[in-house]
Amino acid sequence: MGLFCPCPRFPVELCWLALGVCLRRPVCVPGRTRARFGFRMTEPHPKSEDLTSSARPAAWGREDAVRLLAVVALGLVMYVPALGQRGNWAPREMRHGLIALEMLRTGSCAVPRVLGRVYADKPPLFHWAAALCFRATGRADELTLRLPSALAAAAGAAGVYLLGRLLAGRGVGFTAALLTLSTALYAEWAVIGRMDMLAAALVIHAALFGAAAARSSRFSQALAHWIPACLFAGAAGLAKGTSDLGFSLLAMVLSWVVFSRRPGRLAALLGLGLPVAAAVVLAWLACTRGTGLASEFFAFQTGSAGRIPSKPPDYYLVHLPLRFLPHVVWLPSAAVWVLRGRRGDRDPCGAFGLAVVAAGVLILSALSSKRHHYMLPLVPFSCLAAAAFLDAQVRGQARAGGG
């Protein structure tokens, strides 16, 4: 299967070369292009370095540190310069800035308040981060309000690299991180002073530790990774609420289904981990006793407050292609590639990413309240699937050229 490209006139040879540099794999380039640009082809990469679901990732080295730092630096360079703009304020962005400012002024951090009134719609983790930025910089403006989102976006991309490296190797992880940073929805919310990007970054780190637990051979190792995964899931719930707590648990369970050879352990780990995740949110709610915040919070999170109008079931199918550009152009080919693989030969990384996206879209579509940014936690998993597909195509071209 060749590379799917939306424009037939795009130089496919140069696209393969760019992907080969990014993935550090040899590619098959026609002789005319090879002579024109002076590339000398090498033998295909040895198959011994191909990772499967049961293989261990390569030992951490200087190359991994360089790539990880490059991902973080690129995210900061892309997003931080845009934090100070004042011409395009997002809805309710000023409200969250006022809540963080009031926390800093009054010293009351457990109960979010705006203009003296209790704000029960969202948990306070983002407000805590914004108040910390206000205090650390000595200024409270649009830049410091949005700084937690930009930092979370860079950290989320770093988590994507680590997850891709764990599941399929350095090349897939690096490509998935770059695709994540360039996705329209991700870049949009990386410069908005709201809790959505912070929650999405926590979801991907919960999935990272969940996948590490699934690939562990011993129960003690699995538990040592599963508990941090549940803590990240609880933190995602403390950032935005039940939706991102659910996304975290969904990714953790699907990683276990795809990668673990001992599915019987999942029930025991869920029994131990779910109280840990719930305790993070319940500990905050316990600090708000007597304010009436807990009942209002659960009413809003469950939709019984009735403040968000319902939208048609196909809302996300319409908005996903535009919001997931540019990597969405490879998702149909990635889905076909995964589904056409034989049961034992399907790429686990691509299957995992597509499974999380498909399950997430189905769950979101079943809910009455719909917003396009609710899909934000799904972006990294979609990029993982696209990166796994591109890596497989590059490897296929390299083997064809070597043959």
Side-chain angles (χ1 to χ4, degrees):
M1 184 187 300
L3 176 67
F4 173 77
C5 184
C7 177
R9 292 188 175 183
F10 193 87
V12 179
E13 297 90 345
L14 294 183
C15 189
W16 285 123
L17 288 172
L19 286 171
V21 171
C22 184
L23 297 169
R24 294 186 65 84
R25 303 271 190 182
V27 294
C28 177
V29 182
R32 182 175 54 186
T33 306
R34 192 184 316 159
R36 184 176 181 182
F37 293 96
F39 284 95
R40 183 168 58 90
M41 304 308 296
T42 60
E43 292 298 319
H45 214 275
K47 293 183 180 181
S48 60
E49 291 194 8
D50 294 344
L51 291 176
T52 63
S53 60
S54 60
R56 293 184 179 181
W60 184 270
R62 185 171 62 179
E63 183 179 355
D64 292 295
V66 169
R67 292 191 181 206
L68 185 63
L69 291 175
V71 167
V72 174
L74 180 60
L76 295 177
V77 169
M78 288 176 62
Y79 300 141
V80 170
L83 298 181
Q85 61 86 19
R86 299 183 178 181
N88 188 22
W89 285 87
R92 295 179 291 280
E93 195 173 5
M94 288 186 180
R95 177 192 300 173
H96 296 297
L98 289 174
I99 293 172
L101 194 59
E102 191 155 344
M103 283 183 176
L104 189 62
R105 182 177 60 84
T106 63
S108 176
C109 298
V111 181
R113 287 184 171 87
V114 53
L115 301 178
R117 298 183 59 183
V118 174
Y119 178 77
D121 291 0
K122 302 293 182 185
L125 185 60
F126 174 79
H127 306 125
W128 295 344
L132 183 62
C133 289
F134 292 167
R135 179 179 290 276
T137 60
R139 51 186 285 189
D141 54 17
E142 58 278 351
L143 190 150
T144 49
L145 171 63
R146 296 163 178 162
L147 185 59
S149 295
L151 296 176
V160 173
Y161 169 72
L162 294 174
L163 181 58
R165 178 190 179 279
L166 174 70
L167 302 181
R170 296 186 182 105
V172 172
F174 192 63
T175 304
L178 297 182
L179 292 177
T180 301
L181 290 173
S182 63
T183 300
L185 184 63
Y186 198 87
E188 175 188 358
W189 285 86
V191 295
I192 292 179
R194 288 173 58 177
M195 61 283 304
D196 300 84
M197 181 55 70
L198 177 60
L202 292 168
V203 169
I204 193 63
H205 282 84
L208 169 63
F209 280 93
R215 293 170 60 91
S216 299
S217 57
R218 292 184 294 180
F219 182 79
S220 59
Q221 293 176 339
L223 185 61
H225 290 106
W226 190 259
I227 295 301
C230 292
L231 289 174
F232 275 111
L238 193 59
K240 189 170 181 189
T242 54
S243 61
D244 287 78
L245 173 61
F247 275 132
S248 301
L249 296 175
L250 172 67
M252 291 162 58
V253 170
L254 287 178
S255 68
W256 197 272
V257 171
V258 173
F259 297 106
S260 178
R261 294 187 174 183
R262 294 177 174 85
R265 291 179 178 176
L266 180 59
L269 290 174
L270 284 175
L272 293 171
L274 285 178
V276 174
V280 176
V281 180
L282 294 177
W284 161 64
L285 292 175
C287 297
T288 66
R289 269 188 313 182
T291 62
L293 183 145
S295 58
E296 294 182 32
F297 172 74
F298 283 114
F300 182 84
Q301 291 291 318
T302 57
S304 58
R307 281 181 276 170
I308 301 180
S310 61
K311 288 185 172 61
D314 62 345
Y315 176 84
Y316 293 109
L317 296 180
V318 173
H319 283 78
L320 187 146
L322 291 176
R323 304 290 180 177
F324 281 35
L325 283 172
H327 78 271
V328 72
V329 297
W330 290 297
L331 278 188
S333 298
V336 173
W337 166 67
V338 169
L339 294 175
R340 287 180 61 181
R342 289 176 295 182
R343 189 178 186 91
D345 297 334
R346 288 176 183 167
D347 182 85
C349 183
F352 169 63
L354 290 174
V356 174
V357 173
V361 170
L362 287 175
I363 293 172
L364 290 174
S365 299
L367 302 177
S368 59
S369 59
K370 297 179 176 66
R371 293 286 188 271
H372 73 272
H373 60 272
Y374 291 177
M375 297 185 293
L376 183 59
L378 303 180
V379 169
F381 302 99
S382 176
C383 293
L384 274 176
F389 167 72
L390 293 174
D391 179 70
Q393 302 310 299
V394 170
R395 283 191 282 114
Q397 288 283 318
R399 288 168 185 167

